[in-house]
Amino acid sequence: MRFQLKHWLLVIIALLVIVLGINWWHQAHHFNKNVTINGINVGGLTTKQALEKVKTTKNSNQVYLNGHLIYDGSDTDYVFTSADEAKVKNVFHKQFTFFPSRKPYSLELKPGKQDLSQYETKKATVQSILQRENRGRQAPVDAYAELRDDKVTVHKGQKGTKIDEQRILHQLSSQATNSKIYLTAKQQQPLSPDSKTVQNEKKQLQKLIGKKVSYKVEKQTYHLTTGDVITSATYKDDQYHFNTSVIDKKIKQINKKQATLGKAFKFKTPDGKEITTTRDGSYGWKISAERAGKSLANAIATGKSSVDAKADIYGIGYNRRGTGYGVTENGGIGNTYAVISIADQHAWFYKNGKCVDDVDVVTGKMSNKADQTPKGVWYIMYKQSPSVLKGTSDNGSKYSSKVQYWAQFTDSGCGFHDASWRHNWSKTAYLNDGSNGCANMHPSDAAGAYNSLEVNEPVIIY
């Protein structure tokens, strides 16, 4: 009895091995039942049979959107060759299961030579339909994180009605070689508050909370916090986006205290008199609240502890980046400058606090307001030797005058230059026979004066 039981067990095991072996052999050489290649059913076929079926099946070039035929092109042949058999074997391995499976499995096989002559037409048809369908539809609004008042809030998104065109075009591309292409239109979905993207936004914004940064303006340092600098912030496409309007008031206070652009300077003239210049002129600097906001917010984001305001200043005239930043001596004018006295018709040139040259000048004609040399604090915009001065005379005629030395200090074209054509060098020449606004110098004096000047140094005119 025991022998018979053992015998039957061996028989059953042998049968199972045979069945499993046959099953394995079949699965190792045949596609599962509901497998398609490029939309063509190859269930139960070997790789060679599958390739032959795909090769001999016409590509009907049809496109369906949500079950409706939207494109029906002319039939074309699949251009597969025996060289593509290796590709069939590769896709075969993707669907392989040890036991037979009825699960639908769609495989894509790109032939060595593809006939995609109708693909662009299919794509254009799909896009045209989608654009028509999307007219008047609302796009969804993604959820997003925002930093405001040193607190991060996640705002909920809003659903829309717009069809997701990119998703459908991706479906079209992935089925490009299929005889029949089936597309499913779905509405665009907004990012949810719990999505990885929004949660990462929240995480990145939380890093900004409670940070401190020092703002150095010349010799003064201002200590600021995140709340002093950033009104609000978001994090998109791997970078921060800041609103820094909250810093505007602070920058205005700093400018009022320290900036020199548009300022009236207290100044001691060469003859020792204390004067206050007019507010006119282009010399000086101010801090741009917009630049400062960006610099400080970026410093907070990158963990930088200190920012120098020099990168945030601006000016007017030729040098839009400002002049005199860091110069605190002599009320912001410094110790290297030029001085023109309209009343004395004389100019002085100082370097490091010492007068290195002085010359008589003839300034702009007082009898014509448009020709008067403008008072205020300006700066040497640039120097050129030799140069050609071009302009319009009082009578409307054009002039072009060669000079050996030229140093401009106003946007309107006033500057120091030699005037070889001038004959009237009297102290009263400027009243009715002055220049068009420049400081004319005698040719014999011009070289020394020109060489005493530096670009960006102040020119005080009073």
Side-chain angles (χ1 to χ4, degrees):
M1 188 72 177
R2 190 177 297 175
F3 173 79
Q4 290 181 342
L5 180 61
K6 185 178 180 180
H7 174 78
W8 283 111
L9 283 173
L10 290 174
V11 170
I12 292 170
I13 291 171
L15 289 173
L16 284 173
V17 170
I18 293 171
V19 169
L20 289 175
I22 293 172
N23 174 76
W24 177 86
W25 181 88
H26 183 273
Q27 289 298 105
H29 295 84
H30 298 80
F31 283 95
N32 278 316
K33 186 173 181 62
N34 292 320
V35 174
T36 61
I37 294 180
N38 297 352
I40 301 168
N41 191 291
V42 293
L45 302 180
T46 64
T47 53
K48 284 187 176 182
Q49 290 170 337
L51 177 60
E52 188 62 28
K53 184 174 182 179
V54 172
K55 284 169 60 177
T56 57
T57 302
K58 290 282 187 180
N59 185 341
S60 61
N61 286 303
Q62 293 180 337
V63 180
Y64 291 83
L65 178 61
N66 288 349
H68 299 288
L69 181 65
I70 62 170
Y71 179 86
D72 190 3
S74 58
D75 292 353
T76 56
D77 293 318
Y78 280 109
V79 192
F80 284 99
T81 66
S82 56
D84 291 307
E85 187 174 353
K87 296 179 182 179
V88 178
K89 290 180 179 179
N90 285 335
V91 297
F92 175 83
H93 293 306
K94 293 180 181 179
Q95 60 84 56
F96 175 80
T97 57
F98 187 81
F99 292 103
S101 172
R102 291 179 176 272
K103 181 181 178 180
Y105 205 104
S106 179
L107 297 168
E108 302 298 324
L109 180 64
K110 293 183 179 180
K113 296 180 180 180
Q114 297 187 66
D115 182 3
L116 296 177
S117 57
Q118 298 185 54
Y119 179 76
E120 291 302 323
T121 306
K122 295 174 185 177
K123 183 177 179 180
T125 301
V126 172
Q127 286 179 311
S128 176
I129 292 173
L130 294 179
Q131 288 169 7
R132 185 170 65 248
E133 285 293 320
N134 273 333
R135 285 180 194 146
R137 290 176 178 255
Q138 291 281 359
V141 178
D142 289 337
Y144 68 98
E146 180 187 36
L147 170 68
R148 187 179 289 273
D149 300 325
D150 265 351
K151 181 182 178 182
V152 177
T153 302
V154 175
H155 300 275
K156 293 181 179 179
Q158 293 181 350
K159 290 184 177 181
T161 57
K162 206 164 193 177
I163 296 172
D164 193 338
E165 182 176 337
Q166 291 306 312
R167 180 174 178 172
I168 294 175
L169 291 178
H170 178 72
Q171 294 175 20
L172 179 69
S173 176
S174 65
Q175 300 179 53
T177 55
N178 284 14
S179 176
K180 296 180 180 180
I181 296 175
Y182 295 94
L183 308 176
T184 303
K186 292 186 177 181
Q187 292 178 351
Q188 293 179 11
Q189 296 299 310
L191 284 174
S192 70
D194 297 327
S195 66
K196 288 184 179 180
T197 299
V198 176
Q199 288 303 306
N200 182 56
E201 291 175 11
K202 180 181 178 180
K203 179 181 177 181
Q204 298 303 324
L205 292 172
Q206 286 174 331
K207 293 179 181 179
L208 306 177
I209 297 175
K211 293 294 184 68
K212 295 180 180 180
V213 62
S214 297
Y215 196 45
K216 295 183 178 180
V217 185
E218 294 186 319
K219 295 181 179 180
Q220 183 74 42
T221 299
Y222 300 89
H223 301 287
L224 305 170
T225 65
T226 300
D228 295 326
V229 175
I230 300 173
T231 308
S232 63
T234 56
Y235 188 82
K236 301 285 183 184
D237 302 321
D238 296 325
Q239 61 181 354
Y240 291 104
H241 302 272
F242 298 110
N243 176 335
T244 59
S245 58
V246 70
I247 198 69
D248 292 1
K249 184 177 179 180
K250 184 65 177 180
I251 298 302
K252 187 176 181 180
Q253 292 172 348
I254 296 173
N255 278 334
K256 185 176 181 180
K257 180 181 179 181
Q258 294 181 251
T260 54
L261 187 63
K263 174 184 175 181
F265 294 85
K266 289 184 178 180
F267 177 72
K268 184 179 284 188
T269 65
D271 59 6
K273 293 180 182 178
E274 292 279 355
I275 68 167
T276 300
T277 68
T278 70
R279 292 181 180 275
D280 298 323
S282 56
Y283 175 78
W285 59 270
K286 269 189 176 180
I287 298 173
S288 162
E290 181 181 357
R291 288 182 195 160
K294 289 180 180 178
S295 296
L296 291 164
N298 286 331
I300 288 172
T302 57
K304 190 176 178 181
S305 61
S306 180
V307 173
D308 193 319
K310 187 174 182 179
D312 303 328
I313 66 170
Y314 70 93
I316 60 175
Y318 190 76
N319 186 346
R320 299 286 176 174
R321 296 299 295 178
T323 48
Y325 180 82
V327 176
T328 55
E329 302 86 357
N330 202 10
I333 288 175
N335 297 317
T336 297
Y337 54 88
V339 184
I340 298 175
S341 169
I342 301 294
D344 295 332
Q345 289 293 282
H346 202 77
W348 297 262
F349 305 90
Y350 289 81
K351 191 176 290 291
N352 298 322
K354 294 183 179 180
C355 183
V356 295
D357 197 10
D358 67 288
V359 300
D360 284 333
V361 294
V362 176
T363 58
K365 191 186 304 175
M366 292 299 290
S367 58
N368 185 349
K369 189 173 181 180
D371 288 336
Q372 294 175 12
T373 302
K375 294 180 179 180
V377 183
W378 309 84
Y379 64 90
I380 299 298
M381 295 163 57
Y382 67 94
K383 296 169 63 178
Q384 192 174 59
S385 178
S387 186
V388 178
L389 307 182
K390 296 181 180 181
T392 305
S393 302
D394 292 342
N395 61 12
S397 61
K398 302 287 184 181
Y399 67 82
S400 178
S401 303
K402 293 182 179 180
V403 296
Q404 189 61 38
Y405 302 102
W406 169 242
Q408 187 168 327
F409 53 73
T410 74
D411 273 353
S412 59
C414 298
F416 291 104
H417 66 81
D418 53 296
S420 59
W421 57 86
R422 175 167 289 282
H423 300 291
N424 185 358
W425 292 97
S426 70
K427 287 290 186 179
T428 58
Y430 77 104
L431 296 175
N432 296 296
D433 189 25
S435 69
N436 292 116
C438 290
N440 288 179
M441 299 183 294
H442 197 281
S444 60
D445 296 330
Y450 179 85
N451 292 326
S452 300
L453 294 168
E454 296 179 10
V455 173
N456 291 330
E457 76 171 54
V459 178
I460 301 99
I461 303 174
Y462 69 97

